[in-house]
Amino acid sequence: MTKTIMVIGSLNADFVVRAPRRPAPGETLFGREFRIYPGGKGANQAVAASRAGGSVFMAGRTGDDIFSSVVTSTLKDAGVDCTHVMTSTEEATGSAFIVVDNAGENAILVVPGANRLVTRADVDALTPLLGKCSVLLLQLEIPIDTTAYAAEVAQRLGVFVMLDPAPAQAIPKDLYPRLDAITPNEHEASFLTGMHVSHADSARAAVSNLLGKGTKQAIVKLGGKGLVYGNRDITEYLPAYAVEAVDTTAAGDAFSGALAVAMAEGQPLGEACRFASAAGALAVTRRGAQSSMPFRREIERLISH
């Protein structure tokens, strides 16, 4: 089965500071290290999907500035087709400001920039190519109206639609029935369902809630505590792989990219989640966003061990 995936989403320059802990309001701390990485949830997931074995097209917008080449270089190096990444003069390239503490946990502030200029017209221009893809992978760092429209077009074309609902925000009710899979973490699941999600039992309830809204499959990620996945027939808990976390910045993106590949291959939901969970686990053992995305051989090695 074809493994062609289209990602319509964000491209950012990530400004990453490492510090002993994240500062409290009004507090000034000394950081240990500063680096600039290519990022954005859309671009991260495109790299993750390509390294996991997919044939990937990235669509989105950057600014006409020095960071445009920064955010597309790793994509191209990973084998992602960037033909449909457009340059805008009205806004700067999107950016994210990230603080990573000693435990590998992070806090992130995102400035959308050119990402906010991705429109329905962009989706219309992509329609002929989208119809040839197996999976459309979406996030919430471009306008929600554009995301919902892309899901509508993909559903009409018979393309599997997958949404990583991050960063957390309200989702139109009519978007849920257009989703073949939704993959919130515990914070996003809490926001979308109105219930506190922090462990397997509450994640099961959240999966049920999301299925009730119309999505066909739901996966609630619990970080180091594993995940719960479900559809109309089953709801199961999957433990996390035991790894030492260095940087959790792009773990969810690694998961989403790998899951998109598994879905494109027609893997059953449980096996697809196991494959994606292994990708996410490997990503937290490395620094950076796109640079931390594992290759398929590494994912398969972790699963086999």
Side-chain angles (χ1 to χ4, degrees), residues 11-13 91-97 109-116 141:
L11 303 96
N12 290 336
E91 291 270 8
T93 298
S95 55
F97 301 86
L109 178 66
V110 175
V111 181
N115 295 308
R116 72 173 95 243
E141 288 186 340

Side-chain angles (χ1 to χ4, degrees), residues 2 5 59 72 94 151 210 225 248 280:
T2 179
I5 297 158
T72 57
L210 293 167
K225 294 172 285 187
T248 62

Side-chain angles (χ1 to χ4, degrees), residues 24 67 143 213 297:
F67 295 112
K213 293 178 186 292
R297 62 182 179 276

Side-chain angles (χ1 to χ4, degrees), residues 53-65:
S55 176
V56 184
F57 294 91
M58 177 74 213
R61 289 187 176 270
T62 65
D64 185 14
D65 52 43

Side-chain angles (χ1 to χ4, degrees), residues 26 38 45 61 64 73 144 160-161 188 201 205-206 236 241 275:
Q45 292 176 18
R61 289 187 176 270
D64 185 14
S73 59
I144 187 67
F160 187 100
V161 182
E188 294 145 8
D201 287 342
E236 298 287 347
Y241 289 89
F275 182 78

Side-chain angles (χ1 to χ4, degrees), residues 35-290:
R35 291 191 181 182
I36 301 174
Y37 297 97
K41 298 195 73 63
N44 292 346
Q45 292 176 18
V47 171
S50 184
R51 289 188 176 182
S55 176
V56 184
F57 294 91
M58 177 74 213
R61 289 187 176 270
T62 65
D64 185 14
D65 52 43
I66 61 172
F67 295 112
S68 178
S69 60
V70 171
V71 301
T72 57
S73 59
T74 306
L75 284 165
K76 294 174 182 177
D77 289 345
V80 176
D81 187 313
C82 295
T83 305
H84 302 282
V85 176
M86 304 291 106
T87 301
S88 299
T89 57
E90 301 97 314
E91 291 270 8
T93 298
S95 55
F97 301 86
I98 305 169
V99 177
V100 182
D101 64 22
N102 282 344
E105 296 294 332
N106 64 73
I108 305 174
L109 178 66
V110 175
V111 181
N115 295 308
R116 72 173 95 243
L117 301 179
V118 182
T119 66
R120 286 178 172 233
D122 293 330
V123 176
D124 288 336
L126 294 166
T127 299
L129 177 59
L130 179 57
K132 300 176 183 178
C133 294
S134 299
V135 174
L136 171 64
L137 180 52
L138 300 165
Q139 316 79 33
L140 297 178
E141 288 186 340
I142 62 173
I144 187 67
D145 176 70
T146 304
T147 299
Y149 181 64
E152 177 185 348
V153 172
Q155 182 188 49
R156 188 166 63 243
L157 294 170
V159 177
F160 187 100
V161 182
M162 184 176 145
L163 174 67
D164 177 7
Q169 60 180 283
I171 294 176
K173 291 182 180 180
D174 61 355
L175 176 55
Y176 286 99
R178 294 171 180 150
L179 302 178
D180 293 287
I182 190 169
T183 62
N185 63 21
E186 51 195 318
H187 168 69
E188 294 145 8
S190 297
F191 180 88
L192 294 174
T193 64
M195 58 183 69
H196 180 63
V197 179
S198 61
H199 49 71
D201 287 342
S202 55
R204 286 177 182 272
V207 165
S208 178
N209 181 285
L210 293 167
L211 293 174
K213 293 178 186 292
T215 186
K216 298 176 183 63
Q217 298 172 106
I219 300 104
V220 175
K221 300 169 290 186
L222 300 168
K225 294 172 285 187
L227 61 85
V228 174
Y229 64 87
N231 55 28
R232 296 293 186 271
D233 301 318
I234 59 166
T235 301
E236 298 287 347
Y237 168 73
L238 182 67
Y241 289 89
V243 295
E244 184 175 348
V246 173
D247 183 354
T248 62
T249 300
D253 296 332
F255 182 97
S256 292
L259 184 67
V261 172
M263 292 299 188
E265 293 174 346
Q267 293 187 30
L269 182 57
E271 292 180 20
C273 287
R274 199 164 285 110
F275 182 78
S277 181
L282 288 167
V284 305
T285 66
R286 304 162 182 173
R287 294 184 175 184
Q290 294 173 24

